[in-house]
Amino acid sequence: ASAPSAPLQYGLYSSFMGCFVYFFLGTAKDVTLGPTAIMSLLVSSYAFHEPVYAVLLAFLSGCIQLAMGLLHLGFLLDFISCPVIKGFTSAASITISFNQIKNILGLQGIPRQFFLQVYETLRRIGETRAGDAVLGLACLAALAALRAMKSRLPRAASVEPLAARISCWIVWICATARNALVVLFAGLVAYSFQVMGSQPLTLTGSIPRGLPAFRPPHFSMAAPNGTVPFQSMVEDMGVGLAVVPLMGLLETIAIAKAFASQNGYRIDPNQELLALGVANILGSFVSSYPITGSFGRTAVNAQSGVCTPAGGLVTGALVLLSLAYLTSLFYYIPRAALAAVIISAVVPMFDAEIFRTLWRVKRLDLVPLCVTFLLCFWEVQYGIVAGVLVSGILLLYSIARPPIKVSEGDVLLVQPGSSLHFPAIECLRDTVCSRALAASPPRSVILDCCHISSIDYTVVLGLAELLQELRKHGLSLAFCGLKDPVLQVLLSANLEGFQHFPSQEEAERCRGAEPWDSRTDPFASTTESS
């Protein structure tokens, strides 16, 4: 991919530096950093189709991402939940696959937006080029067959004949290198047609040859009426300086988490930020525009059997070799064959089972999953952001409305099920007051704090008001099971009427005591003071 209206070679310039950097700094074996369609469109919006702006945007985005990594802000990306990841990957597998249908059918001028893409493809399906369709479907069938052969290939035992072991080894090599073999075969077919003087296939076309010069990005730009200084360029890019690095890191982390969870390993978000930032900074020295994690190329990596980030070294070296010597050979690669490779790689990422799993496990998690899944058909970045926001709202709601267990007796034993934070204190006050005052006769309260590990100042104020409210009605409030940090905070606050039981057992023994009133207080002997 290259930025719309930018020279084609800038897409290749952006394709190798991220591979080398990620080998040294990345933590996911499958991830490939490079240009993507989403990032290309964002860059074209904020760089005004000017390569100088695009390269400078890569440098500044890298600086922002690197700073976030050095400040250990990667924890913010932990708020991307598994349902959001699954919604993103499932939607991306559909949108990327359908985006390649136009190349399978040999159609031109199909819009990028998914719904318009579906409409235009179905409307113009009669214009399908037979050569592209036959080759594309044949490549898809070959890739599916080779994948099935690899999954069913038995492990050759050392006692088997040498011929059998060699045969298994050859089949394994062909199945593992199926993407390269299919593209090579399709290229030979296209070259044969070219030699015969007829070409029924849509080819990649010519790409300018040569390596980019290693130099820092331009911090000013020549214009017909003078020079555009650095400050003006930054002002022109405006909000793009926040949107581009944010979308870059969101896409990279989402892809890394998706493949990490699928393959059973963990990633370090801070390290991923460092890798992305350094890749964009160094990439700007070779005329790269902003890069991010590429879902399609990462899926091809995973399907090709890549085991370590060292696969990036091979990818980067091949891109450099191609720029220097092989760009003329790219001319004969059919687009239908490349489309078949991409479709074959991303289709397995669609996870239909996750919908049934969440329905059984926790149906509320279907909300961020469906929001992400549906909005990703509009724009991937909107889907991820919306999913994160919905997950955040659900998380905040659980903090603001913690489970509260109330046990009836001569006194009420109230036990919050999680830590108390300032959004939850009103819920706790309402629960305690309504249950204590609605009882006949009204009952005093023991607050079991065994699950509370920390409180804030707003909670302290709320507990003070709760003590006063109960005291107005001749009732008492005592605490039990306070952890040391919480106890120290409450003692420091000098709450009037604060009483504490060291353990829940002592509180349980007092549940059968006579109801408290303003004259007698069975907790008086256990009151703790600072």
Side-chain angles (χ1 to χ4, degrees), residues 104 132-150 175 178-179 182 185 336-337 339-341 343-345:
I104 294 284
D132 287 320
V134 170
L135 179 66
L137 294 175
C139 290
L140 281 173
L143 288 166
L146 288 170
R147 184 191 297 110
M149 287 173 60
K150 184 178 181 180
R178 59 186 177 271
N179 296 325
V182 164
F185 172 77
V341 169
I343 291 173
S344 176

Side-chain angles (χ1 to χ4, degrees), residues 87-99:
F88 158 66
T89 54
S90 296
S93 68
I94 296 174
T95 56
I96 292 175
S97 296
F98 203 89
N99 186 49

Side-chain angles (χ1 to χ4, degrees), residues 336-359:
L338 295 176
V341 169
I342 294 173
I343 291 173
S344 176
V346 301
V347 162
M349 293 301 298
F350 180 79
D351 187 2
E353 185 63 28
I354 188 63
F355 293 90
R356 290 191 289 269
T357 301
L358 291 182
W359 181 261

Side-chain angles (χ1 to χ4, degrees), residues 323-343:
L323 276 169
Y325 304 108
L326 304 178
T327 51
S328 59
L329 299 180
F330 291 164
Y331 181 90
Y332 298 103
I333 297 178
R335 292 188 176 182
L338 295 176
V341 169
I342 294 173
I343 291 173

